[in-house]
Amino acid sequence: MKFARNKKGQFIVIAVLMIALMIIALSVTIFGMRTYYKQEQWEEYMTLIEQVKLNTGDVVDISLAAYTEDNNTIILNDNLNRWQKDLGKAHPGHGIILTYESADDVVQAYGTSIDYDQGLARQWNESTSFSAANTTITLNITSIGLEGYRFVVTSFLNLTILSVDPSSKVINATVFREDGVPVTELKKENFQVENVSITSVTSYYDQQHMLVYTIRCDDLELSNATLTVWDQRGIKVVSKT
Amino acid sequence: MSLKNNTTGQMRVIEAIISAFIILSAITFVNVYSVLPSSQEYETSDLEKMGYNILHDLDESGILVQFVYGTQTDRENLMPTLLLFFPPDLYFDLGIYEVLENGTLSIVNQDYPIRFGAPEVFQESNSTVSVSYILPGHQAQYDPRILILQLVRG
């Protein structure tokens, strides 16, 4: 068997080997570049912004809960002033500047007119009663060049007495929060009926009212009753038939 | 029908096949046997995101507030809860600070650290990440607490 002594193609093999080496070197270099120069992503700052929005909502909830307990109309502005400073302590170096403008006139919302005073409002002792808070926040984060990011923070609790039945000693009522969302998981401790002890609180789903609470009392002589509710945030509403 | 006994070009074909084989082997070798170095930039960024997301999710579900503003037993239960969320090779140390009236911070859980991992791990590692999160208060009380969460990969 005789092999042809052919030297053609030797350079092709050498060239291919060099190309393979170049591919390896280029891959390593590109990987190093990609991992060293990390691209800034807007999603990273959205986490911070979402946190500020969520916790500012908590400040408004806390302020409304305090207002419904002691009728302090300046509590929302006071808490927001303190929140401005505490945000800077929690995130030093980010340059977070938060300003607010609390609602101070009549606003149509949730199917009713709400007359705000320094961001707070309440309408009690009616069959449909509510407590509400409303403020507009402007957020600047100088470290990322964010300026004028506005969002509205509201807090709302509505209590409606649907019916009072003295014979069965039962009050039916609905409890809603912002955007018409029914408040769930309310227990006996969340309700109070004036001059009467509550024996049990149950709930059922209704096509018209979504979620109805049935409050059973040990004594309910009168056809009218004063019902108080506190939701999980501590916000209070008092309704009367 | 007779086949032409033409041997020209046979070596070219063989060389082309060998060339293709060499290129494929080189690429396969790089992918299979290379150990790529981890990037410190990506590592700290991923840990920051993870820490933020977990604290945010716990806060959004209302669980974090109950732990932080609850009793000492509630705060001690925060450690096993965080263990469920973090991967097993991740060490964490959570400090809860209250904001005093003079503006300084005072640690609340000094006597019962909420920590997974030896304290030296956080001091010696050069990939330790610190995430801060603030809670404004609970129920009708404005009582801010700042959470400082340190994370490091084990």
Side-chain angles (χ1 to χ4, degrees):
Chain A
M1 192 164 141
K2 182 181 173 182
F3 288 103
R5 195 177 287 273
N6 194 347
K7 292 180 186 174
K8 285 184 186 172
Q10 287 175 356
F11 282 108
I12 291 177
V13 175
I14 293 167
V16 164
L17 280 170
M18 289 174 68
I19 288 169
L21 278 170
M22 278 190 284
I23 289 172
I24 294 167
L26 200 61
S27 304
V28 172
T29 307
I30 288 173
F31 179 82
M33 274 172 51
R34 189 169 181 270
T35 54
Y36 185 76
Y37 293 106
K38 187 168 66 67
Q39 194 177 2
E40 291 292 323
Q41 292 183 356
W42 175 243
E43 288 83 14
E44 294 184 16
Y45 302 112
M46 284 305 294
T47 312
L48 177 61
I49 294 167
E50 282 303 314
Q51 183 197 336
V52 171
K53 283 173 79 171
L54 177 69
N55 294 136
T56 305
D58 290 342
V59 174
V60 174
D61 289 341
I62 288 165
S63 305
L64 182 58
Y67 166 70
T68 58
E69 288 298 331
D70 56 18
N71 207 25
N72 181 358
T73 53
I74 63 169
I75 188 70
L76 176 61
N77 291 344
D78 281 349
N79 285 343
L80 286 172
N81 286 333
R82 294 171 67 182
W83 179 237
Q84 283 174 328
K85 299 188 184 85
D86 293 334
L87 258 186
K89 291 190 191 101
H91 302 287
H94 280 94
I96 297 177
I97 302 166
L98 186 143
T99 54
Y100 65 90
E101 188 180 337
S102 297
D104 215 4
D105 51 10
V106 177
V107 173
Q108 293 292 330
Y110 314 117
T112 187
S113 297
I114 304 176
D115 187 7
Y116 289 103
D117 177 19
Q118 299 189 74
L120 297 164
R122 71 181 196 191
Q123 176 179 294
W124 287 4
N125 299 317
E126 298 182 15
S127 57
T128 298
S129 301
F130 62 81
S131 300
N134 184 314
T135 187
T136 302
I137 303 291
T138 304
L139 180 65
N140 298 339
I141 303 179
T142 56
S143 61
I144 60 171
L146 178 72
E147 198 173 314
Y149 181 80
R150 285 166 67 95
F151 56 96
V152 178
V153 181
T154 59
S155 188
F156 183 78
L157 188 69
N158 173 300
L159 172 64
T160 301
I161 297 178
L162 298 175
S163 62
V164 177
D165 187 355
S167 59
S168 55
K169 299 174 190 161
V170 160
I171 302 173
N172 287 312
T174 59
V175 184
F176 285 92
R177 54 181 294 166
E178 308 86 60
D179 300 325
V181 175
V183 178
T184 57
E185 307 279 332
L186 292 178
K187 309 276 187 285
K188 193 168 81 167
E189 299 74 36
N190 296 103
F191 290 94
Q192 186 184 70
V193 180
E194 195 177 34
N195 299 324
V196 169
S197 295
I198 297 174
T199 54
S200 69
V201 171
T202 54
S203 61
Y204 65 91
Y205 284 94
D206 176 85
Q207 200 169 9
Q208 183 185 358
H209 302 291
M210 277 198 276
L211 184 67
V212 178
Y213 284 96
T214 300
I215 298 127
R216 287 187 171 76
C217 309
D218 61 357
D219 185 20
L220 200 61
E221 291 182 357
L222 303 172
S223 60
N224 53 357
T226 301
L227 176 65
T228 304
V229 68
W230 291 266
D231 71 352
Q232 291 90 349
R233 299 171 290 180
I235 299 171
K236 174 178 156 185
V237 178
V238 180
S239 273
K240 200 182 222 180
T241 54
Chain B
M1 186 169 137
S2 64
L3 294 171
K4 284 192 179 176
N5 195 9
N6 193 346
T7 58
T8 57
Q10 284 179 357
M11 281 310 293
R12 293 291 174 98
V13 173
I14 292 169
E15 283 158 8
I17 292 170
I18 292 172
S19 307
F21 180 70
I22 290 171
I23 291 174
L24 284 171
S25 301
I27 293 173
T28 307
F29 177 81
V30 168
N31 283 334
V32 172
Y33 291 104
S34 66
V35 177
L36 298 171
S38 62
S39 165
Q40 191 171 350
E41 295 286 329
Y42 265 145
E43 175 73 355
T44 53
S45 172
D46 286 346
L47 287 181
E48 269 182 25
K49 277 189 223 176
M50 189 190 302
Y52 261 129
N53 287 341
I54 286 172
L55 289 177
H56 182 85
D57 290 346
L58 285 173
D59 187 18
E60 212 169 26
S61 60
I63 297 173
L64 192 62
V65 166
Q66 291 175 21
F67 281 127
V68 171
Y69 291 97
T71 60
Q72 179 177 332
T73 308
D74 292 328
R75 286 193 281 273
E76 286 169 356
N77 286 335
L78 187 50
M79 208 279 253
T81 304
L82 289 175
L83 274 176
L84 292 174
F85 284 89
F86 287 121
D89 64 337
L90 194 65
Y91 299 133
F92 61 86
D93 184 0
L94 179 67
I96 302 173
Y97 298 82
E98 62 175 337
V99 182
L100 300 177
E101 287 196 8
N102 57 6
T104 56
L105 301 181
S106 166
I107 187 163
V108 170
N109 64 322
Q110 190 167 12
D111 296 332
Y112 43 95
I114 303 168
R115 183 190 303 133
F116 176 65
E120 299 78 39
V121 171
F122 301 95
Q123 291 157 11
E124 292 165 0
S125 171
N126 56 3
S127 296
T128 303
V129 165
S130 187
V131 174
S132 62
Y133 196 91
I134 181 168
L135 294 173
H138 184 54
Q139 295 283 309
Q141 191 72 23
Y142 183 83
D143 179 20
R145 298 283 163 92
I146 295 178
L147 280 62
I148 309 283
L149 176 65
Q150 288 186 301
L151 299 168
V152 65
R153 191 81 68 177

